[in-house]
Amino acid sequence: MASFKEIISTLPRRKSWYGDDTFLYQGFWCDTFFIEGLMRAQQNFRSQPSDIVICSAMKTGTTWLKSLTFAIVTRSTFDDSTNPLFNNLSHDCVPLLEVDLAQSSTNRDPKNPLLATHAPYCSLPRSIIDSSCKIVYICRDPKDSLVSLYHFFARYLASKDMKPPALEEAFELFCQGVSSYGPYWDHVLGFWKASLDRPDKILFLKYEEMIEDTVLYVKKIADFIGYPFSFEELEKGSVEKIVNMCSFENLSNLEVNKSGKHREGTPVVIENKMYFRKGKVGDWENYLTPEMAVRLDSITLQKLNGSGLTL
Ligand code: A3P
C-alpha cells in the first residue's frame, strides 16, 4: 500500500507564499505535515459523543475560541487563579486533531472534551460527522483573515531569517484560493451549509459578532456545548469573568504568551506571541489598497451568492 507521503507526492502542487510546496488534498491547499496528520486522523480518530470540536480556517480567532471554550468547560474544576490558561497557550490546552491526535484518539486527557482542527468539513474524520459530538466553527472577514495570515507567516519567516514575500504576492495567491486550508471561502461554506442542515450539531460563529457582544456569545456557546450557566453563575458574573480572562489584552499580556513557545522540539515550533497581533476588526484597512479590498469583496460576494451567508 502506498505511504501517505507517496500519496501526497502525487497530488496537485503549488509554491506557497511562505516558500514550501503546498498540495491540493480533498479540494484544499495544505502542507505535507498537516495533510499527513489529517490522513492519519481520518484513518485512526474515533470521536466520542461528548467531544466538542473547535473548527476554523487559520487566523479566524481559533486561539480565542479555544480559550473561551476551555474556560467554559473547566470553570467548575479550577478557580480564578488556577486555570491552566494562565500558564499555557490555549493551543496547549486543546489538542489539534491533525497533529496531536493523528496517531490515536486516546492520546487525550479524558477529562477534556475539547479538540480542534483546521480541516475543512468534507475532510473531517467520519466519526466526527456521524457521532453526536458538537462542532463549533468560527470564521472572519476574509480581508482581516488574509492580513492576519500574512503577518503570521511574515513573522514566522523573519524568525527563521527568511525573507517574507510581498503582501501583493500573498494577496494574489489568497484570491486564487491558495492559502493554508484554502480556498478560504470554500472552507467557510462547507461549515455554513452543514450548520444549516444540522443546527443542533454545528454552531456557526463570526469573529466580528463575537467581538461586538462577547458575553452573549459565551452564553450561546456554553448552552450549545452542554455547559450552560446556572442562574447563580449568571448572577455572580461568571460569564463576564470568562470574557475578561480570555480578552486579547489579558491573554496577550500573560508571561507564557509573551515568552513561551508552542510545540517546542517539533518541526512546527512557534513563539506563543505570534498568535496575538492586534485582535481588531477591520485592520485590513491599514494594509490593503481600496482596489485589493474591492477585489476580495467581489470574490466573497460571488462565492457566497445564494448561500444566505454574508462576511
Ligand atoms: P490579528 O492578526 O488580526 O490580530 P487564530 O487564533 O485563528 O490563529 O487567529 C489569530 C487572530 O486572532 C489574530 O488576529 C489574533 O490577534 C487574534 N486573537 C488572538 N487572541 C485573541 C483574543 N483573545 N481576542 C480576540 N482576538 C484574538
Side-chain angles (χ1 to χ4, degrees):
M1 204 173 83
S3 70
F4 290 138
K5 279 202 174 58
E6 281 165 350
I7 298 170
I8 294 169
S9 71
T10 66
L11 298 174
R13 83 171 69 189
R14 301 234 355 214
K15 260 284 166 261
S16 69
W17 73 52
Y18 42 88
D20 296 339
D21 278 343
T22 180
F23 296 86
L24 192 67
Y25 178 61
Q26 299 183 334
F28 291 82
W29 293 98
C30 208
D31 300 357
T32 314
F33 179 78
F34 289 101
I35 298 180
E36 209 178 319
L38 182 55
M39 287 170 149
R40 280 186 208 292
Q42 287 172 332
Q43 199 171 71
N44 301 324
F45 185 74
R46 299 287 170 267
S47 177
Q48 301 299 314
S50 56
D51 285 344
I52 301 160
V53 192
I54 306 301
C55 298
S56 59
M58 283 179 75
K59 303 297 130 196
T60 57
T62 320
T63 313
W64 186 29
L65 183 58
K66 281 183 175 180
S67 312
L68 290 170
T69 47
F70 186 80
I72 292 169
V73 304
T74 61
R75 68 184 187 274
S76 51
T77 313
F78 303 107
D79 65 31
D80 293 349
S81 59
T82 58
N83 195 291
L85 286 171
F86 289 112
N87 299 305
N88 297 274
L89 176 70
S90 65
H91 297 291
D92 290 322
C93 298
V94 180
L96 188 65
L97 175 76
E98 52 271 45
V99 179
D100 308 300
L101 306 175
Q103 300 286 359
S104 155
S105 326
T106 53
N107 185 21
R108 297 174 67 180
D109 172 357
K111 291 192 290 300
N112 181 4
L114 293 161
L115 65 136
T117 180
H118 288 307
Y121 185 75
C122 64
S123 297
L124 290 177
R126 200 64 239 169
S127 70
I128 293 184
I129 309 278
D130 292 343
S131 90
S132 55
C133 73
K134 300 282 185 183
I135 293 178
V136 184
Y137 183 75
I138 186 163
C139 69
R140 190 181 189 188
D141 180 339
K143 301 192 289 305
D144 278 333
S145 289
L146 161 66
V147 166
S148 185
L149 197 56
Y150 175 75
H151 281 98
F152 181 79
F153 280 114
R155 285 159 88 183
Y156 180 71
L157 291 172
S159 75
K160 295 190 173 303
D161 292 328
M162 289 161 76
K163 194 173 158 292
L167 174 61
E168 289 69 18
E169 201 185 319
F171 173 82
E172 190 53 47
L173 284 172
F174 189 89
C175 288
Q176 292 173 23
V178 187
S179 61
S180 293
Y181 299 91
Y184 178 75
W185 301 271
D186 296 357
H187 200 287
V188 176
L189 276 173
F191 283 92
W192 170 249
K193 288 179 183 157
S195 76
L196 296 180
D197 284 348
R198 301 178 71 186
D200 54 322
K201 182 169 179 80
I202 304 171
L203 179 65
F204 187 95
L205 302 169
K206 294 181 184 173
Y207 180 88
E208 294 75 14
E209 290 178 352
M210 284 183 53
I211 289 274
E212 186 75 29
D213 193 344
T214 314
V215 167
L216 175 79
Y217 280 94
V218 165
K219 285 192 253 179
K220 258 191 200 194
I221 295 168
D223 287 343
F224 185 80
I225 62 179
Y227 289 76
F229 289 92
S230 66
F231 181 73
E232 292 71 33
E233 284 181 307
L234 294 174
E235 285 282 287
K236 69 171 197 224
S238 300
V239 179
E240 288 76 7
K241 241 184 226 164
I242 286 177
V243 170
N244 292 334
M245 178 168 98
C246 299
S247 71
F248 181 88
E249 288 65 31
N250 190 51
L251 291 182
S252 61
N253 280 309
L254 293 174
E255 195 47 48
V256 64
N257 292 331
K258 288 200 281 194
S259 59
K261 286 189 178 158
H262 178 51
R263 299 197 191 289
E264 203 152 20
T266 74
V268 285
V269 57
I270 281 181
E271 290 176 286
N272 291 353
K273 65 181 177 210
M274 287 190 27
Y275 289 99
F276 303 90
R277 193 179 63 94
K278 290 188 183 173
K280 296 263 180 285
V281 171
D283 186 46
W284 62 265
E285 284 189 273
N286 297 314
Y287 298 94
L288 303 183
T289 63
E291 292 73 28
M292 284 167 143
V294 166
R295 184 161 161 215
L296 262 186
D297 282 343
S298 74
I299 296 174
T300 302
L301 270 179
Q302 190 201 330
K303 287 269 200 180
L304 303 191
N305 186 25
S307 69
L309 175 66
T310 51
L311 285 177

